[in-house]
Amino acid sequence: MTEKKIMLVCAAGMSTSMLVARMQKAAEKDGIAVNIFATSASDADNKLAEEKPDVLMLGPQVRYLESQFKKNLDIPVSVINMQDYGLMNGEKVLRASLKTIDEGKGTAS
């Protein structure tokens, strides 16, 4: 199984770093090979070019960027569920990310 790259974006990149740690822990527990990292909205374009992630997950506070990213990227883009984000539920956000990657493969234009 190839490692999936999941990129999280939030306003400053701070709150998502805790979520990254929880997602990583959930992935390890389930034996899922992933590379998860977080960045701020202002640095997102640089990170996208550098890292080439499989999916871009936006924190609820930057959901307004969703249409812009979807227009400019050829990878799936999704907004993290507000409740899962607020509770820092790494397991659920990991599952949502992987599901978004799978769905994105079927709908690539």
Side-chain angles (χ1 to χ4, degrees):
M1 184 173 126
T2 58
E3 185 178 76
K4 305 271 189 238
K5 264 192 185 182
I6 300 170
M7 177 168 147
L8 306 184
V9 173
C10 73
M14 300 306 274
S15 47
T16 43
S17 55
M18 189 193 313
L19 186 56
V20 165
R22 293 192 178 187
M23 289 172 71
Q24 207 82 55
K25 191 177 274 185
E28 285 166 20
K29 183 175 68 79
D30 296 339
I32 299 168
V34 286
N35 173 1
I36 308 166
F37 59 95
T39 191
S40 64
S42 59
D43 198 39
D45 290 333
N46 294 335
K47 275 285 197 221
L48 284 161
E50 209 175 278
E51 298 283 350
K52 310 267 187 279
D54 294 301
V55 66
L56 175 61
M57 301 297 285
L58 298 172
Q61 73 276 46
V62 292
R63 72 174 335 120
Y64 64 91
L65 295 170
E66 184 181 16
S67 59
Q68 178 190 330
F69 279 123
K70 281 186 170 175
K71 194 170 59 184
N72 299 325
L73 298 175
D74 57 0
I75 60 168
V77 177
S78 186
V79 177
I80 299 168
N81 175 290
M82 193 177 290
Q83 188 175 5
D84 294 340
Y85 189 88
L87 295 172
M88 291 282 139
N89 189 326
E91 177 89 33
K92 280 194 172 173
V93 177
L94 175 66
R95 297 268 168 242
S97 303
L98 296 172
K99 185 173 184 234
T100 302
I101 292 171
D102 290 342
E103 289 170 355
K105 283 189 170 71
T107 58
S109 47

